[in-house]
Amino acid sequence: MAGSEHGIYAGMWVFPDPRVMTRDMAGKIASMPRMFTLALGIAGVLFALGIVGFVIRAIGDGFDDRAPWGYYLATFSFVFMVTSAAPIAAVAFRFTKSHWRRPLSRVSELFAVVGILNILLFIPMMFVLPSIGNPAGNVEGQLEVRRTIWFEAPIGAPHSWDILGVIFLAVTAIAILWVSAMPDMAEHRLTATGFRRWVYTKLAGHWYGTRRQWNAQKAGLALLGALYFMLLIFVHFIVSSDYAQSLIPGWKDSIFPVIYSITGLQVALGTTLMILFIMRRWGGYQAYLGKSVFWSASKVQLGLTLLWAYHLFAFFITYWYGRLVVEQNIIKYLFIESYGGVFAANLVLSFIIPFAILLWNPVRRSAWGPALAGLSAALGALMFNIRIFVGAANSGDIYSEFINVVPAAVYPDVWDVFMVVGGIGAAVFVYMLATKLLPLMSSWEVKEGAMYQHMGKFMRGEYLVLGKPE
């Protein structure tokens, strides 16, 4: 066998002794390396700055006018699209029975914990979103009811339905994490002490690894995964429609919610690969993370990058050839004039750089290549959300039929910067705390995968043979 004690062969991981991994994972949960502590402290400071910026903005501007909250909307949307789409990596690759995804699953599932933060961040947005009906009533030149996806009939629409969607999505993600992590918690409760042991005992329940329990877990993950995917697309649709399209008078586009979801999937997979690279490079997980994880995921990453460019082109060409006044003004506002520089950065970071990186097979099969493409996609997604949601918050009279005059771009002040870095820092802070309760590696999945691997010889070579359970 090639590699270290744990063994790495041809970019794959081969783990011969499950007991070694159990002790190793328990040690990593309990330890607090200097680099981890420093990163957690920085994230905590940024979180505190975000709270300061939010409080000062609330005291100074209140919630009656949505314009001052444009960068808050963009920050929520960015954090939400990354953390809500991340569990799909575990869900989708389980459905396809991909062997290489095993070290990736728990990293993506742990984003479910940030779903609690998403709920808290969404609450102020309910106060910012204007009502559907025009409070001025029947005014000449204005709409009595602004254009939205909702009728006035549903109780509390759109506010109550939006918050229910965000809550249900977070609860479903936490259920997936709990069902997936139950075997690991049952194993770690035997060696953990103090608070961790109490948590593992309560959450693991009566899990003892019987055949019936394993079959129930498999079925539960499949059902919850299918439900989560449907909920994700629906909630992405209502968030992008209510807080972006409906706030820009005259913007009617069936492709934008699709672009929003694809952006979320692209940046979520890229962020997961960034975390895996950090784990492999500095976290002591190199024995478990072969390059096959990055190589295989990078193919999906490349596909999502191309899908993003295709849907952007499909949207743009429709408006470009439509040439209606409202279509020209929206293109000028979001793409060419007002937010033209932000759009250029969005295009370069979300498509050109990731495509250039992932196009080359030697770079794509490395560990750093897909992670670098993921970092670029994350910055591009931030530009995307700033361009769309800041623009939506400052588009003018939302009860007009369409934009008559192209508004100017709105740039951030110091409190906006605090809220942007604070929202991102809060998500990082919560995620890092979650890693001190649950392992970053799904032990039972990695061990299961090791049982399907065998080192075999063929002629003069030694090869890794993979078995398929189904």
Side-chain angles (χ1 to χ4, degrees), residues 113-135:
V113 180
V114 189
I116 301 172
L117 175 67
N118 289 335
I119 297 173
L120 298 176
L121 291 176
F122 187 79
I123 292 175
M125 296 178 60
M126 297 176 62
F127 300 100
V128 173
L129 185 65
S131 62
I132 295 176
N134 189 343

Side-chain angles (χ1 to χ4, degrees), residues 328-372:
Q328 293 183 52
N329 287 342
I330 289 174
I331 288 180
K332 291 176 182 178
Y333 185 41
L334 297 179
F335 291 89
I336 298 177
E337 293 181 2
S338 301
Y339 291 95
V342 182
F343 170 68
N346 181 193
L347 180 64
V348 170
L349 292 167
S350 293
F351 174 65
I352 295 178
I353 292 178
F355 181 72
I357 292 173
L358 298 172
L359 185 64
W360 303 99
N361 202 38
V363 177
R364 192 168 66 243
R365 70 160 62 115
S366 66
W368 61 267
L372 182 60

Side-chain angles (χ1 to χ4, degrees), residues 43-254:
V45 171
L46 295 178
F47 189 3
L49 289 178
I51 295 175
V52 171
F54 174 83
V55 170
I56 293 178
R57 176 68 72 210
I59 294 174
D61 296 289
F63 296 97
D64 295 332
D65 185 9
R66 71 186 187 281
W69 295 97
Y71 281 90
Y72 182 87
L73 300 184
T75 303
F76 166 81
S77 178
F78 174 72
V79 173
F80 174 72
M81 72 161 35
V82 175
T83 58
S84 63
I88 289 295
V91 168
F93 298 138
R94 278 201 188 103
F95 281 157
T96 58
K97 297 180 174 62
S98 302
H99 181 72
W100 56 266
R101 54 89 189 164
R102 296 179 184 276
L104 173 148
S105 296
R106 182 60 50 72
V107 172
S108 63
E109 290 168 344
L110 272 177
F111 279 98
V113 180
V114 189
I116 301 172
L117 175 67
N118 289 335
I119 297 173
L120 298 176
L121 291 176
F122 187 79
I123 292 175
M125 296 178 60
M126 297 176 62
F127 300 100
V128 173
L129 185 65
S131 62
I132 295 176
N134 189 343
N138 187 7
V139 179
E140 184 178 356
Q142 290 187 341
L143 300 172
E144 292 187 34
V145 178
R146 65 184 177 89
R147 294 187 177 95
T148 69
I149 60 173
W150 304 98
F151 294 102
E152 290 187 272
I155 300 174
H159 303 79
S160 59
W161 298 95
D162 289 346
I163 186 65
L164 285 175
V166 174
I167 291 174
F168 284 143
L169 192 67
V171 170
T172 307
I174 291 174
I176 292 174
L177 174 62
W178 174 58
V179 173
S180 173
M182 192 179 294
D184 292 342
M185 291 188 291
E187 184 178 46
H188 287 296
R189 69 185 170 188
L190 301 176
T191 57
T193 59
F195 176 73
R196 289 192 184 90
R197 183 171 185 175
W198 180 83
V199 171
Y200 294 153
T201 302
K202 293 296 182 181
L203 295 181
H206 298 285
W207 178 273
Y208 296 103
T210 64
R211 180 185 293 273
R212 182 178 180 181
Q213 288 177 331
W214 282 114
N215 290 336
Q217 188 217 35
K218 181 179 179 181
L221 287 175
L223 292 174
L224 287 171
L227 174 62
Y228 188 79
F229 178 76
M230 293 186 290
L231 276 174
L232 177 73
I233 300 303
F234 173 71
V235 179
H236 277 192
F237 169 68
I238 61 176
V239 168
S240 61
S241 298
D242 285 340
Y243 288 90
Q245 284 198 81
S246 72
L247 299 183
I248 298 182
W251 187 12
K252 296 176 290 184
D253 179 28
S254 60

Side-chain angles (χ1 to χ4, degrees), residues 391-452:
N394 295 273
S395 61
D397 183 11
I398 61 174
Y399 300 103
S400 299
E401 292 190 13
F402 55 84
I403 295 180
N404 296 305
V405 178
V406 178
V410 174
Y411 298 99
D413 59 20
V414 63
W415 311 125
D416 291 327
V417 173
F418 277 16
M419 287 191 290
V420 171
V421 299
I424 298 172
V428 174
F429 184 78
V430 172
Y431 187 91
M432 294 183 71
L433 286 182
T435 64
K436 295 292 99 182
L437 185 62
L438 293 174
L440 268 169
M441 197 76 65
S442 180
S443 301
W444 69 268
E445 287 192 275
V446 174
K447 293 174 185 177
E448 181 189 46
M451 296 172 64
Y452 299 138

